[in-house]
């Protein structure tokens, strides 16, 4: 582990469904992160969460910010509160790690990044799965030229017909229910596109141009349908990067569950089946260059692929209702950067770019069917062991 002088104090603002996912994976970083307490506008929800985990409660966000031991505020509020909460925390001189997106408005998201710069503080937005074992193994395979030059990426973020698969029973250990109405209102693109986008931008740099299609195909989601609901439940975007690389990204809560991530290279394919699993196997597929090999693939399913073993496999604690991801990894990486006086890998312009592109994909009626992002972060340095 990187040498850090003393635990870094954090506080959760927001004690809803996602807070349990962070609390469960906080156990992965006992020597680095110290949870000073929690706060939620809903006092009953705060008390339920704090009592279940035996945590200190703050009676206001001002009390959170008055605690000198809180260096990083973890913003786990609903998306429509992200901007106001993060802004207040930055103005109080705190670093902020926010759930996605940074804000629901690109101008507000940009203001947060500018404010962080003025305050000499960092703001980072989830997801941080790119820092995990599966993504870093894939990144290493790309850098080593495992299958030659990347040309095309296919990424899927499809979750099935969520409104018909019993989400009413989705409940965390502390008793929080999945916030269906808020999820439907925010939209699957803003909630989930960031996973695939963070991997793409982390490996290959900024999206230079995108073309998007978005539609709300099932406007009646049942009991928890938001008022005046029109948020797209399906989007597809084509993205252009530097050096001729092109990607196709789908997001939906309609198509059958599929979280594949495939990089088609000049000499084959690099692939994994589940971007929400830090232990997902990365496989390298050669091009079937002979009729015999093509036939073996078509008739027998033989692809002659091999598994690429991770350089630094790491066992992690995960939440019961969450995928096997370390939700606090991004906070831990941020804490190390804060202590070392460096910049977190996903900070500032990077998180802003992911927010901008996600918003543009979901809202072609605002940004245009064809859009050229204004932000342009560099690719991310590979992870080292924390």
């Amino acid at each position: 582990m990187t040498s850090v002088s003393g635990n870094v104090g954090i506080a959760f603002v927001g004690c809803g469904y996602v807070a349990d996912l962070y609390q469960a994976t906080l156990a992965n970083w006992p020597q680095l992160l110290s949870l000073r307490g929690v706060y939620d506008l809903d006092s009953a929800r705060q008390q339920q969460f704090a009592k279940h985990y035996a945590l200190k409660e703050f009676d206001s966000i001002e009390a959170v910010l008055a605690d000198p031991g809180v260096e990083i505020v973890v913003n786990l509020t609903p998306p429509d509160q992200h901007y106001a909460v993060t802004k207040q925390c930055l103005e109080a001189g705190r670093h902020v790690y926010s759930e996605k997106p940074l804000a629901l408005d690109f101008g507000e998201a940009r203001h947060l990044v500018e404010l962080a710069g003025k305050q000499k503080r960092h703001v980072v937005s989830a997801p941080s799965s790119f820092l995990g074992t599966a993504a870093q193994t894939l990144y290493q395979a790309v850098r080593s030229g495992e299958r030659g030059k990347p040309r095309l990426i296919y990424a899927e973020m499809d979750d099935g017909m969520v409104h018909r698969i019993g989400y009413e029973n989705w409940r965390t250990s502390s008793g929080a229910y999945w916030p269906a109405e808020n999820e439907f209102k925010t939209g699957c693109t803003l909630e989930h596109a960031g996973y695939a986008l963070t991997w793409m931008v982390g490996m290959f740099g900024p999206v230079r141009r995108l073309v998007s299609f978005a539609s709300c195909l099932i406007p009646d989601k049942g009991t928890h349908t938001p008022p005046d609901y029109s948020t797209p439940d399906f989007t597809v975007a084509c993205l252009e990067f530097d050096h001729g690389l092109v990607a196709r990204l789908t997001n939906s809560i309609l198509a059958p569950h599929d979280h594949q991530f495939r990089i088609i290279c000049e000499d084959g394919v690099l692939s994994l089946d589940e971007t929400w699993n830090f232990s997902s196997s990365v496989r390298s597929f050669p091009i079937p260059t002979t009729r015999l090999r093509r036939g073996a693939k078509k008739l027998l399913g033989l692809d002659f692929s091999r598994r690429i073993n991770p350089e630094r496999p790491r066992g992690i604690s995960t939440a019961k209702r969450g995928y096997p991801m370390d939700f606090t990894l991004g906070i831990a990486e941020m804490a190390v950067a804060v202590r070392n006086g460096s910049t977190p890998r996903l900070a500032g312009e990077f998180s802003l770019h992911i927010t901008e592109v996600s918003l543009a994909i979901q809202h072609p009626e605002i940004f245009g069917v064809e859009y050229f992002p204004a932000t342009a972060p560099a690719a991310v340095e590979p992870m080292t062991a924390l």
Side-chain angles (χ1 to χ4, degrees), residues 80-144:
D80 60 2
Q81 298 175 29
H82 285 183
Y83 172 71
V85 170
T86 296
K87 178 174 177 288
Q88 185 174 358
C89 295
L90 289 172
E91 288 174 339
R94 299 302 191 274
H95 304 284
V96 179
Y97 184 92
S98 173
E99 253 301 314
K100 56 196 176 307
L102 273 179
L104 294 176
D105 176 84
F106 177 53
E108 290 183 344
R110 180 162 49 194
H111 177 244
L112 292 177
V113 172
E114 292 173 349
L115 177 60
K118 291 178 182 177
Q119 294 290 95
K120 293 182 171 51
R121 292 295 180 265
H122 297 301
V123 60
V124 173
S125 176
S128 64
S129 62
F130 175 67
L131 306 178
T133 301
Q136 289 296 306
T137 301
L138 182 62
Y139 192 15
Q140 172 57 32
V142 168
R143 297 197 312 277
S144 69

Side-chain angles (χ1 to χ4, degrees), residues 11 52 114 136-137 220 236 269 275 300 310 352 360 374 382:
H52 181 78
E114 292 173 349
Q136 289 296 306
T137 301
D220 183 1
V236 60
V269 178
T275 53
L300 303 175
L352 181 59

Side-chain angles (χ1 to χ4, degrees), residues 4 12 15 40 56 89 92 100 135 181 188 190 209 226 283 286 290 302 318 320 329 335 340 358 364:
V4 174
F12 291 169
C15 299
D40 195 296
K56 174 185 174 181
C89 295
K100 56 196 176 307
E181 183 174 325
C188 58
L190 288 184
R209 181 174 80 103
R283 302 200 68 83
T290 66
L302 298 176
T318 61
K320 290 182 180 179
L329 174 58
N340 293 343
S358 298

